[in-house]
Amino acid sequence: MKHPTFRTDRDTMARVETRNLVKQFTASGAPAVNGISLQTTDGEFLVLLGPSGCGKTTLLRMIGGLEKPTSGDILIGDRVVNDLPPRARQIAMVFQSYALYPHMNVRNNISFPLKAAKLDKAAIEQKVQWASSILGIDQLLDRKPRQLSGGQRQRVALARALVREPNVFLLDEPLSNLDAQRRASARDELQVFQHEIGTTTIYVTHDQVEAMGLGDRIAVINDGTIRQLGTPHEIYEDPADTFVATFLGSPPMNLVERDGDLVGFRPEAVELVPPEHGDASSWLHLTLAEAREEYLGSEKLIYGEIDGVRVVARVHAGTPMPAHEGGKIPITVNRAALRIFDKDSGLRRQPASDSVSASPAEEASA
Amino acid sequence: MATTTASATETHTEQAGRNRGQRVLGRVVLYVVATGFALFAALPFAWMVLTTFKADSDLYRPANNPFVYNDPPTWHNINLLWNDTSYPTFILNTLLVAVVVVLITIAVVVPAAYALTRLTGRWGESLGILIFLVYLVPPTLLFIPLTGVVADLGLQNSKWAMVLVYPTFTIPFCTWLLMGFFRGVPWEIEEQAMIDGYSRIQAIWKTVLPVSLPGILTVVIFSFTLSLHEFVYALAFVQSSDQKTVSVGVFTELIRGDVFFWQSLMAAAALVAFPVALLYNYFLDRFIAGFTLGAVKG
Ligand SMILES: Nc1ncnc2c1ncn2[C@@H]1O[C@H](COP(=O)(O)OP(=O)(O)O)[C@@H](O)[C@H]1O
Ligand SMILES: [Mg+2]
């Protein structure tokens, strides 16, 4: 993508806020969105991450005005917009399917929102040139959407969103129609693009890699509620509950039961060779049963079981497998890397800082 | 070694030759069949034109070859049709009725089909089929109650009776037809237009309708054709020559007692059929193909 000088005429600061937003499609069923409150900062890239069917699209469509909330408020730029139609919300949306107008060429697709705004011809042409050169599609202006590749369609959709100079971008899995190779580079381009444009963006995805790579902050959603809202680092390092812990990371966090609690640790926190240095009490010793290894080139995964629960360790490919008797190998995890969850509620037991110091109760070792 | 290669090459050419032979044969069969169908479809038209210009003396002598002109062709029959019957009036009436019926049908059917596919949820589908069932009631039954309606409205013996009645069967069928086309529209383009700054009505006008143009043209063609050739209602509701349409007018004015004015009848049919056939061909080629592709990734 080329990046000519950016020009933004936006006058309103755009913060998006939802207050206790609920959407119930059928009277009997569970709500698709069940009381979501979140607030973006101006210019933020906020990612809504969650499994398929958790209500991400519904939430985004309510912010866009395409779906009417059952209850709750939506604010854009500190103004309640519940009763405003989509066209009055000064937003731009990119659908998963890109929703290009099939009967118009690329130029008319991009200028369509400008015609609604009744701009004069010269201004429209100038903006179309501006947006299409940012996205590198100035050669395609006379083509019809059906003559474009998936990646080109995505750029046209972005250009059409861009010319509106909206307060907020709403993007619904915009990369999911691209092949894996193209997706990685498009992700990178999108991030550079958003940072330079500086427009508040709400981005929906079910792909944790996309979410971690793109988001200033991530809202992890499940069953229509926010499980955790934080920076990618916070979400990964200090998951608020077992859902977040096991939804992020591949392989996800291991959870084993110890003294009535669930003890979580990331696969990469596992050490096969017990370190000689340091305080012995700062290490948790466990025994992995039925250990198998899977070689992946730069690293290897060790699969096994602890008390019948599957556990995965990720170590450098050069790490030798310790001598094992009957498939049993000893592993150690630094207590600083342990995350303790309540067994019944699945919620984190104590704040992040506390998990570093191990309490005597958790000193049991395998 | 050399012989093997030679024989291999031989087999190869033989194979290629056989393939080409098959291809040529396939083409020949295709063209023969297509030509056969074309001739079959064109025969009534050719027969109409041929008969139109025949003199009585030529047409009614059984010994004559019916496929050629035995006597010189004549304009007499067209003169008769144009000057001694109300044919020009029939054509004007037919056009008027057809155009107004098409306009009424479009005006009702587009919002109805939109509402049934987009706004009524799961009831829309069954409702659409119920409406379609109305179309299946035969006109020979329906014209009895409809006569009452026409009489109550004071439209007896008026072409406006047909303008009133034809939509009762064009609308149900065309609603159902257009619902099928609307179902194929990617709805996101309408929502996208609403995000892009348009109202719902504007969004429909600028995205849904252009993309469904083939469906709307089908509706136009269907209701226009129906209005052209409808016979039962036209016969039942209209008696005066100045109100008749072509289908009934020609039939009542060119069959006098047991005398059939065959050549003028043929002329009357051909004069209506040719422009319509040409018009349809033009529209079909121009609009129907490949209009909705590429809206969403696929
Ligand atoms: N128009 C609708 N009518 C009824 N249920 C819906 C509708 N749209 C979405 N849902 C339901 O709401 C839930 C959330 O859907 P969605 O927001 O699309 O999830 P996501 O985008 O996270 O995959 C799903 O269970 C889905 O079946
Ligand atoms: Mg979705």
Short mmCIF file of all heavy atoms in Angstrom, two decimals, chain A residues 61 64 66 86-87 91-95 97-104 109 112-113 115-116 145-146 150 153 160 164 177, chain B residues 186 188-200 202-203 206-208 210-211 290-298:
data_model
loop_
_atom_site.label_atom_id
_atom_site.label_comp_id
_atom_site.label_asym_id
_atom_site.label_seq_id
_atom_site.Cartn_x
_atom_site.Cartn_y
_atom_site.Cartn_z
N ARG A 61 -23.46 -4.60 14.54
CA ARG A 61 -24.60 -4.11 13.77
C ARG A 61 -25.46 -3.16 14.59
O ARG A 61 -26.07 -2.24 14.06
CB ARG A 61 -25.43 -5.29 13.26
CG ARG A 61 -24.74 -6.05 12.12
CD ARG A 61 -25.47 -7.35 11.80
NE ARG A 61 -26.86 -7.13 11.45
CZ ARG A 61 -27.28 -6.83 10.22
NH1 ARG A 61 -26.43 -6.76 9.23
NH2 ARG A 61 -28.56 -6.63 9.98
N GLY A 64 -23.73 0.07 14.47
CA GLY A 64 -23.92 0.66 13.16
C GLY A 64 -25.35 1.11 12.88
O GLY A 64 -25.60 1.81 11.91
N LEU A 66 -27.91 -1.00 12.30
CA LEU A 66 -28.63 -1.94 11.43
C LEU A 66 -29.52 -2.87 12.24
O LEU A 66 -30.37 -3.56 11.70
CB LEU A 66 -27.63 -2.78 10.63
CG LEU A 66 -26.77 -1.98 9.65
CD1 LEU A 66 -25.69 -2.87 9.04
CD2 LEU A 66 -27.63 -1.38 8.56
N PRO A 86 -28.83 4.48 10.46
CA PRO A 86 -27.40 4.28 10.16
C PRO A 86 -26.78 5.49 9.46
O PRO A 86 -25.66 5.89 9.79
CB PRO A 86 -27.40 3.08 9.22
CG PRO A 86 -28.66 2.36 9.48
CD PRO A 86 -29.65 3.36 9.99
N ARG A 87 -27.52 6.09 8.51
CA ARG A 87 -26.91 7.15 7.70
C ARG A 87 -26.56 8.38 8.52
O ARG A 87 -25.73 9.18 8.12
CB ARG A 87 -27.85 7.55 6.56
CG ARG A 87 -29.16 8.18 7.01
CD ARG A 87 -30.00 8.59 5.81
NE ARG A 87 -31.23 9.25 6.22
CZ ARG A 87 -32.31 8.62 6.66
NH1 ARG A 87 -32.31 7.30 6.71
NH2 ARG A 87 -33.39 9.28 7.02
N ILE A 91 -20.67 6.75 10.37
CA ILE A 91 -19.81 5.60 10.56
C ILE A 91 -19.55 4.99 9.19
O ILE A 91 -20.24 5.28 8.23
CB ILE A 91 -20.51 4.53 11.42
CG1 ILE A 91 -21.95 4.38 10.91
CG2 ILE A 91 -20.48 4.87 12.87
CD1 ILE A 91 -22.60 3.11 11.29
N ALA A 92 -18.53 4.17 9.11
CA ALA A 92 -18.32 3.39 7.89
C ALA A 92 -18.21 1.95 8.32
O ALA A 92 -17.66 1.64 9.38
CB ALA A 92 -17.05 3.83 7.18
N MET A 93 -18.78 1.06 7.50
CA MET A 93 -18.75 -0.35 7.89
C MET A 93 -18.24 -1.16 6.72
O MET A 93 -18.57 -0.90 5.57
CB MET A 93 -20.17 -0.77 8.26
CG MET A 93 -20.27 -2.17 8.83
SD MET A 93 -21.75 -2.32 9.86
CE MET A 93 -21.75 -4.07 10.16
N VAL A 94 -17.43 -2.15 7.03
CA VAL A 94 -17.00 -3.10 6.00
C VAL A 94 -17.53 -4.46 6.40
O VAL A 94 -17.21 -4.98 7.46
CB VAL A 94 -15.47 -3.14 5.85
CG1 VAL A 94 -15.05 -4.22 4.88
CG2 VAL A 94 -14.95 -1.78 5.40
N PHE A 95 -18.40 -5.00 5.55
CA PHE A 95 -19.00 -6.29 5.83
C PHE A 95 -18.02 -7.41 5.50
O PHE A 95 -17.12 -7.25 4.69
CB PHE A 95 -20.26 -6.49 5.00
CG PHE A 95 -21.42 -5.67 5.44
CD1 PHE A 95 -21.56 -4.35 5.04
CD2 PHE A 95 -22.40 -6.21 6.26
CE1 PHE A 95 -22.62 -3.58 5.44
CE2 PHE A 95 -23.47 -5.45 6.67
CZ PHE A 95 -23.59 -4.14 6.26
N SER A 97 -18.58 -9.83 3.69
CA SER A 97 -18.68 -10.15 2.26
C SER A 97 -18.25 -8.98 1.39
O SER A 97 -18.31 -9.07 0.18
CB SER A 97 -20.12 -10.50 1.94
OG SER A 97 -20.94 -9.39 2.24
N TYR A 98 -17.86 -7.88 2.01
CA TYR A 98 -17.48 -6.61 1.36
C TYR A 98 -18.67 -5.85 0.80
O TYR A 98 -18.61 -4.64 0.65
CB TYR A 98 -16.44 -6.81 0.24
CG TYR A 98 -15.24 -7.61 0.71
CD1 TYR A 98 -14.67 -8.57 -0.09
CD2 TYR A 98 -14.73 -7.42 1.98
CE1 TYR A 98 -13.59 -9.32 0.36
CE2 TYR A 98 -13.66 -8.16 2.43
CZ TYR A 98 -13.10 -9.11 1.62
OH TYR A 98 -12.06 -9.85 2.07
N ALA A 99 -19.76 -6.54 0.44
CA ALA A 99 -20.98 -5.87 -0.01
C ALA A 99 -20.71 -4.77 -1.03
O ALA A 99 -21.22 -3.67 -0.91
CB ALA A 99 -21.77 -5.32 1.19
N LEU A 100 -19.91 -5.08 -2.04
CA LEU A 100 -19.72 -4.10 -3.12
C LEU A 100 -20.98 -4.09 -3.97
O LEU A 100 -21.66 -5.09 -4.11
CB LEU A 100 -18.51 -4.49 -3.97
CG LEU A 100 -17.19 -4.54 -3.22
CD1 LEU A 100 -16.06 -4.92 -4.18
CD2 LEU A 100 -16.88 -3.22 -2.56
N TYR A 101 -21.28 -2.92 -4.55
CA TYR A 101 -22.46 -2.82 -5.40
C TYR A 101 -22.12 -3.46 -6.75
O TYR A 101 -21.27 -2.93 -7.49
CB TYR A 101 -22.88 -1.37 -5.56
CG TYR A 101 -23.06 -0.67 -4.22
CD1 TYR A 101 -22.26 0.40 -3.86
CD2 TYR A 101 -24.00 -1.12 -3.31
CE1 TYR A 101 -22.42 1.03 -2.63
CE2 TYR A 101 -24.16 -0.50 -2.07
CZ TYR A 101 -23.36 0.57 -1.74
OH TYR A 101 -23.51 1.17 -0.52
N PRO A 102 -22.76 -4.57 -7.09
CA PRO A 102 -22.33 -5.34 -8.26
C PRO A 102 -22.57 -4.62 -9.58
O PRO A 102 -21.90 -4.88 -10.56
CB PRO A 102 -23.17 -6.61 -8.19
CG PRO A 102 -24.35 -6.25 -7.36
CD PRO A 102 -23.90 -5.18 -6.42
N HIS A 103 -23.54 -3.69 -9.59
CA HIS A 103 -23.89 -3.04 -10.85
C HIS A 103 -23.09 -1.76 -11.07
O HIS A 103 -23.33 -1.05 -12.03
CB HIS A 103 -25.38 -2.75 -10.87
CG HIS A 103 -25.86 -1.97 -9.67
ND1 HIS A 103 -25.77 -2.45 -8.38
CD2 HIS A 103 -26.41 -0.75 -9.56
CE1 HIS A 103 -26.25 -1.56 -7.54
NE2 HIS A 103 -26.64 -0.51 -8.22
N MET A 104 -22.17 -1.44 -10.16
CA MET A 104 -21.38 -0.22 -10.32
C MET A 104 -19.91 -0.60 -10.45
O MET A 104 -19.46 -1.58 -9.86
CB MET A 104 -21.51 0.67 -9.08
CG MET A 104 -22.91 1.09 -8.74
SD MET A 104 -22.83 2.10 -7.27
CE MET A 104 -24.56 2.16 -6.85
N ASN A 109 -18.55 2.72 -6.92
CA ASN A 109 -18.66 2.13 -5.60
C ASN A 109 -18.07 3.06 -4.56
O ASN A 109 -18.67 3.31 -3.52
CB ASN A 109 -17.93 0.78 -5.56
CG ASN A 109 -18.88 -0.39 -5.70
OD1 ASN A 109 -19.57 -0.75 -4.76
ND2 ASN A 109 -18.93 -0.97 -6.88
N PHE A 112 -20.01 6.37 -4.10
CA PHE A 112 -21.43 6.26 -3.71
C PHE A 112 -21.76 7.01 -2.41
O PHE A 112 -22.74 7.76 -2.37
CB PHE A 112 -21.78 4.77 -3.60
CG PHE A 112 -23.26 4.49 -3.54
CD1 PHE A 112 -24.08 4.77 -4.61
CD2 PHE A 112 -23.81 3.92 -2.40
CE1 PHE A 112 -25.44 4.49 -4.56
CE2 PHE A 112 -25.17 3.64 -2.34
CZ PHE A 112 -25.98 3.93 -3.42
N PRO A 113 -20.96 6.85 -1.34
CA PRO A 113 -21.27 7.61 -0.12
C PRO A 113 -21.12 9.12 -0.31
O PRO A 113 -21.81 9.90 0.35
CB PRO A 113 -20.24 7.11 0.90
CG PRO A 113 -19.47 6.03 0.26
CD PRO A 113 -19.84 5.93 -1.17
N LYS A 115 -21.78 10.81 -3.04
CA LYS A 115 -22.96 11.32 -3.74
C LYS A 115 -24.11 11.52 -2.75
O LYS A 115 -24.89 12.45 -2.89
CB LYS A 115 -23.37 10.37 -4.86
CG LYS A 115 -22.42 10.47 -6.04
CD LYS A 115 -22.74 9.44 -7.12
CE LYS A 115 -21.68 9.45 -8.19
NZ LYS A 115 -21.54 8.12 -8.83
N ALA A 116 -24.18 10.63 -1.78
CA ALA A 116 -25.22 10.80 -0.76
C ALA A 116 -24.99 12.09 0.01
O ALA A 116 -25.93 12.77 0.40
CB ALA A 116 -25.22 9.61 0.19
N PRO A 145 -17.01 -5.11 -9.78
CA PRO A 145 -16.56 -5.95 -8.67
C PRO A 145 -16.28 -7.41 -9.06
O PRO A 145 -15.37 -8.02 -8.55
CB PRO A 145 -17.74 -5.88 -7.69
CG PRO A 145 -18.37 -4.57 -7.96
CD PRO A 145 -18.19 -4.31 -9.43
N ARG A 146 -17.06 -7.94 -10.01
CA ARG A 146 -16.86 -9.35 -10.34
C ARG A 146 -15.54 -9.59 -11.07
O ARG A 146 -15.11 -10.71 -11.22
CB ARG A 146 -18.02 -9.90 -11.16
CG ARG A 146 -18.21 -9.26 -12.51
CD ARG A 146 -19.22 -10.03 -13.35
NE ARG A 146 -19.60 -9.27 -14.52
CZ ARG A 146 -20.58 -8.38 -14.54
NH1 ARG A 146 -21.27 -8.17 -13.45
NH2 ARG A 146 -20.87 -7.71 -15.63
N GLY A 150 -10.25 -11.37 -4.44
CA GLY A 150 -10.73 -11.15 -3.08
C GLY A 150 -10.00 -9.99 -2.39
O GLY A 150 -10.61 -9.15 -1.75
N ARG A 153 -11.12 -6.65 -3.82
CA ARG A 153 -12.46 -6.28 -3.34
C ARG A 153 -12.38 -5.71 -1.93
O ARG A 153 -13.06 -4.74 -1.60
CB ARG A 153 -13.37 -7.51 -3.31
CG ARG A 153 -13.80 -7.94 -4.69
CD ARG A 153 -14.66 -9.18 -4.62
NE ARG A 153 -14.68 -9.79 -5.95
CZ ARG A 153 -15.42 -10.83 -6.26
NH1 ARG A 153 -16.21 -11.39 -5.37
NH2 ARG A 153 -15.39 -11.32 -7.48
N ARG A 160 -14.01 2.67 0.05
CA ARG A 160 -15.36 3.22 0.15
C ARG A 160 -15.65 3.67 1.58
O ARG A 160 -16.34 4.67 1.81
CB ARG A 160 -16.37 2.16 -0.30
CG ARG A 160 -17.79 2.65 -0.29
CD ARG A 160 -18.74 1.61 -0.83
NE ARG A 160 -18.67 0.37 -0.07
CZ ARG A 160 -19.29 -0.75 -0.43
NH1 ARG A 160 -19.99 -0.79 -1.54
NH2 ARG A 160 -19.19 -1.84 0.29
N ARG A 164 -15.63 8.39 3.33
CA ARG A 164 -16.64 9.04 4.16
C ARG A 164 -16.01 9.87 5.26
O ARG A 164 -16.66 10.67 5.88
CB ARG A 164 -17.54 8.00 4.83
CG ARG A 164 -18.32 7.16 3.89
CD ARG A 164 -19.53 6.63 4.59
NE ARG A 164 -20.49 7.71 4.82
CZ ARG A 164 -21.46 7.66 5.71
NH1 ARG A 164 -21.58 6.61 6.47
NH2 ARG A 164 -22.28 8.66 5.85
N ASN A 177 -12.19 -13.63 4.14
CA ASN A 177 -12.37 -14.17 2.80
C ASN A 177 -11.07 -14.24 2.01
O ASN A 177 -11.09 -14.60 0.84
CB ASN A 177 -13.38 -13.32 2.02
CG ASN A 177 -14.80 -13.73 2.32
OD1 ASN A 177 -15.04 -14.90 2.58
ND2 ASN A 177 -15.71 -12.79 2.31
N PRO B 186 -28.14 -10.00 -2.51
CA PRO B 186 -27.37 -9.97 -1.27
C PRO B 186 -27.80 -8.75 -0.45
O PRO B 186 -27.52 -7.62 -0.83
CB PRO B 186 -25.92 -9.84 -1.72
CG PRO B 186 -25.98 -9.35 -3.13
CD PRO B 186 -27.31 -9.69 -3.69
N GLU B 188 -26.84 -7.38 2.12
CA GLU B 188 -25.84 -6.48 2.69
C GLU B 188 -25.65 -5.23 1.84
O GLU B 188 -25.30 -4.19 2.36
CB GLU B 188 -24.51 -7.21 2.81
CG GLU B 188 -24.48 -8.08 4.05
CD GLU B 188 -23.75 -9.37 3.80
OE1 GLU B 188 -23.39 -9.63 2.64
OE2 GLU B 188 -23.56 -10.13 4.76
N ILE B 189 -25.90 -5.34 0.52
CA ILE B 189 -25.67 -4.13 -0.28
C ILE B 189 -26.70 -3.06 0.07
O ILE B 189 -26.42 -1.87 0.00
CB ILE B 189 -25.65 -4.41 -1.81
CG1 ILE B 189 -26.97 -4.93 -2.31
CG2 ILE B 189 -24.51 -5.34 -2.16
CD1 ILE B 189 -27.01 -5.06 -3.83
N GLU B 190 -27.88 -3.49 0.49
CA GLU B 190 -28.88 -2.50 0.91
C GLU B 190 -28.46 -1.87 2.25
O GLU B 190 -28.54 -0.65 2.42
CB GLU B 190 -30.24 -3.19 1.05
CG GLU B 190 -31.35 -2.24 1.43
CD GLU B 190 -32.58 -3.00 1.91
OE1 GLU B 190 -32.78 -4.15 1.48
OE2 GLU B 190 -33.32 -2.44 2.72
N GLU B 191 -28.00 -2.71 3.17
CA GLU B 191 -27.56 -2.19 4.47
C GLU B 191 -26.35 -1.29 4.28
O GLU B 191 -26.22 -0.25 4.94
CB GLU B 191 -27.23 -3.35 5.40
CG GLU B 191 -28.45 -4.19 5.72
CD GLU B 191 -28.17 -5.27 6.73
OE1 GLU B 191 -27.05 -5.81 6.72
OE2 GLU B 191 -29.07 -5.60 7.51
N GLN B 192 -25.46 -1.71 3.38
CA GLN B 192 -24.28 -0.89 3.09
C GLN B 192 -24.70 0.49 2.59
O GLN B 192 -24.15 1.50 3.01
CB GLN B 192 -23.42 -1.61 2.03
CG GLN B 192 -22.16 -0.87 1.66
CD GLN B 192 -21.10 -0.95 2.75
OE1 GLN B 192 -20.66 -2.03 3.14
NE2 GLN B 192 -20.68 0.19 3.26
N ALA B 193 -25.70 0.52 1.72
CA ALA B 193 -26.15 1.82 1.19
C ALA B 193 -26.73 2.67 2.31
O ALA B 193 -26.57 3.89 2.33
CB ALA B 193 -27.19 1.59 0.10
N MET B 194 -27.40 2.02 3.28
CA MET B 194 -27.96 2.78 4.40
C MET B 194 -26.85 3.34 5.28
O MET B 194 -26.96 4.44 5.82
CB MET B 194 -28.91 1.90 5.21
CG MET B 194 -30.23 1.66 4.49
SD MET B 194 -31.16 0.28 5.18
CE MET B 194 -31.62 0.94 6.76
N ILE B 195 -25.77 2.56 5.43
CA ILE B 195 -24.60 3.06 6.17
C ILE B 195 -23.95 4.19 5.38
O ILE B 195 -23.48 5.18 5.94
CB ILE B 195 -23.57 1.92 6.36
CG1 ILE B 195 -24.18 0.82 7.21
CG2 ILE B 195 -22.27 2.45 6.91
CD1 ILE B 195 -23.65 0.66 8.57
N ASP B 196 -23.93 4.04 4.06
CA ASP B 196 -23.25 5.02 3.20
C ASP B 196 -24.02 6.32 3.06
O ASP B 196 -23.66 7.16 2.24
CB ASP B 196 -23.00 4.42 1.81
CG ASP B 196 -21.79 3.50 1.81
OD1 ASP B 196 -21.06 3.49 2.80
OD2 ASP B 196 -21.59 2.78 0.81
N GLY B 197 -25.11 6.49 3.79
CA GLY B 197 -25.75 7.79 3.83
C GLY B 197 -27.09 7.88 3.14
O GLY B 197 -27.58 8.97 2.89
N TYR B 198 -27.71 6.75 2.81
CA TYR B 198 -28.99 6.80 2.14
C TYR B 198 -30.10 6.29 3.06
O TYR B 198 -29.85 5.49 3.97
CB TYR B 198 -28.97 5.94 0.87
CG TYR B 198 -28.00 6.47 -0.17
CD1 TYR B 198 -26.67 6.06 -0.17
CD2 TYR B 198 -28.42 7.38 -1.13
CE1 TYR B 198 -25.77 6.54 -1.11
CE2 TYR B 198 -27.53 7.86 -2.07
CZ TYR B 198 -26.20 7.45 -2.06
OH TYR B 198 -25.33 7.93 -2.98
N SER B 199 -31.33 6.77 2.79
CA SER B 199 -32.47 6.23 3.53
C SER B 199 -32.81 4.86 2.96
O SER B 199 -32.27 4.46 1.94
CB SER B 199 -33.67 7.15 3.38
OG SER B 199 -34.12 7.09 2.04
N ARG B 200 -33.71 4.15 3.65
CA ARG B 200 -34.04 2.82 3.19
C ARG B 200 -34.64 2.84 1.78
O ARG B 200 -34.27 2.03 0.93
CB ARG B 200 -35.04 2.19 4.15
CG ARG B 200 -35.31 0.76 3.78
CD ARG B 200 -36.09 0.04 4.86
NE ARG B 200 -35.83 -1.36 4.72
CZ ARG B 200 -35.56 -2.17 5.72
NH1 ARG B 200 -35.47 -1.72 6.93
NH2 ARG B 200 -35.36 -3.44 5.51
N GLN B 202 -34.21 5.09 -0.58
CA GLN B 202 -33.14 5.39 -1.53
C GLN B 202 -32.25 4.18 -1.75
O GLN B 202 -31.82 3.90 -2.87
CB GLN B 202 -32.28 6.55 -1.00
CG GLN B 202 -32.96 7.91 -1.10
CD GLN B 202 -32.14 8.98 -0.38
OE1 GLN B 202 -31.59 8.74 0.70
NE2 GLN B 202 -32.07 10.14 -0.98
N ALA B 203 -31.97 3.47 -0.66
CA ALA B 203 -31.11 2.29 -0.76
C ALA B 203 -31.75 1.24 -1.66
O ALA B 203 -31.08 0.63 -2.50
CB ALA B 203 -30.84 1.72 0.62
N LYS B 206 -31.54 2.45 -5.28
CA LYS B 206 -30.23 2.51 -5.91
C LYS B 206 -29.48 1.17 -5.90
O LYS B 206 -28.48 1.02 -6.60
CB LYS B 206 -29.36 3.56 -5.21
CG LYS B 206 -29.73 4.97 -5.62
CD LYS B 206 -29.04 5.98 -4.73
CE LYS B 206 -29.57 7.36 -4.91
NZ LYS B 206 -29.15 7.98 -6.16
N THR B 207 -29.89 0.25 -5.04
CA THR B 207 -29.15 -1.02 -5.03
C THR B 207 -30.04 -2.23 -5.34
O THR B 207 -29.77 -2.99 -6.24
CB THR B 207 -28.44 -1.25 -3.68
OG1 THR B 207 -29.41 -1.33 -2.65
CG2 THR B 207 -27.46 -0.14 -3.38
N VAL B 208 -31.12 -2.39 -4.58
CA VAL B 208 -31.93 -3.60 -4.74
C VAL B 208 -32.58 -3.64 -6.13
O VAL B 208 -32.52 -4.65 -6.82
CB VAL B 208 -33.02 -3.68 -3.64
CG1 VAL B 208 -33.87 -4.91 -3.83
CG2 VAL B 208 -32.38 -3.69 -2.27
N PRO B 210 -31.82 -1.98 -9.11
CA PRO B 210 -30.92 -2.23 -10.25
C PRO B 210 -30.45 -3.68 -10.32
O PRO B 210 -30.36 -4.25 -11.39
CB PRO B 210 -29.74 -1.29 -9.98
CG PRO B 210 -30.25 -0.24 -9.10
CD PRO B 210 -31.35 -0.84 -8.29
N VAL B 211 -30.17 -4.25 -9.15
CA VAL B 211 -29.67 -5.62 -9.16
C VAL B 211 -30.78 -6.61 -9.54
O VAL B 211 -30.52 -7.66 -10.10
CB VAL B 211 -29.06 -5.95 -7.77
CG1 VAL B 211 -28.79 -7.42 -7.62
CG2 VAL B 211 -27.77 -5.17 -7.58
N GLY B 290 -26.09 -12.14 -16.75
CA GLY B 290 -24.98 -11.80 -15.87
C GLY B 290 -25.06 -10.47 -15.15
O GLY B 290 -24.08 -9.75 -15.08
N PHE B 291 -26.20 -10.14 -14.61
CA PHE B 291 -26.33 -8.84 -14.00
C PHE B 291 -25.96 -8.84 -12.53
O PHE B 291 -25.45 -7.87 -12.00
CB PHE B 291 -27.75 -8.31 -14.18
CG PHE B 291 -27.77 -6.85 -14.50
CD1 PHE B 291 -27.77 -6.43 -15.81
CD2 PHE B 291 -27.76 -5.90 -13.49
CE1 PHE B 291 -27.77 -5.09 -16.11
CE2 PHE B 291 -27.76 -4.56 -13.78
CZ PHE B 291 -27.77 -4.15 -15.10
N THR B 292 -26.23 -9.91 -11.85
CA THR B 292 -26.08 -9.89 -10.39
C THR B 292 -24.77 -10.49 -9.91
O THR B 292 -24.55 -10.60 -8.73
CB THR B 292 -27.23 -10.66 -9.73
OG1 THR B 292 -27.29 -11.94 -10.34
CG2 THR B 292 -28.54 -9.95 -9.92
N LEU B 293 -23.88 -10.88 -10.81
CA LEU B 293 -22.66 -11.55 -10.37
C LEU B 293 -21.74 -10.62 -9.63
O LEU B 293 -21.69 -9.42 -9.90
CB LEU B 293 -21.92 -12.11 -11.59
CG LEU B 293 -22.65 -13.23 -12.31
CD1 LEU B 293 -21.96 -13.53 -13.63
CD2 LEU B 293 -22.69 -14.46 -11.45
N GLY B 294 -21.00 -11.18 -8.66
CA GLY B 294 -19.90 -10.43 -8.05
C GLY B 294 -20.29 -9.43 -6.99
O GLY B 294 -19.52 -8.56 -6.64
N ALA B 295 -21.50 -9.54 -6.48
CA ALA B 295 -21.92 -8.60 -5.43
C ALA B 295 -21.12 -8.87 -4.18
O ALA B 295 -20.57 -7.98 -3.56
CB ALA B 295 -23.40 -8.75 -5.13
N VAL B 296 -21.07 -10.14 -3.82
CA VAL B 296 -20.31 -10.52 -2.66
C VAL B 296 -19.32 -11.57 -3.14
O VAL B 296 -19.47 -12.10 -4.21
CB VAL B 296 -21.22 -11.12 -1.56
CG1 VAL B 296 -22.14 -10.04 -1.04
CG2 VAL B 296 -22.02 -12.27 -2.10
N LYS B 297 -18.33 -11.80 -2.36
CA LYS B 297 -17.31 -12.76 -2.76
C LYS B 297 -17.95 -14.11 -3.00
O LYS B 297 -18.74 -14.60 -2.20
CB LYS B 297 -16.25 -12.85 -1.67
CG LYS B 297 -15.40 -14.08 -1.75
CD LYS B 297 -13.95 -13.76 -1.95
CE LYS B 297 -13.30 -14.92 -2.65
NZ LYS B 297 -12.09 -15.38 -2.15
N GLY B 298 -17.64 -14.74 -4.11
CA GLY B 298 -18.26 -16.05 -4.35
C GLY B 298 -17.61 -16.76 -5.50
O GLY B 298 -16.76 -16.26 -6.16
#
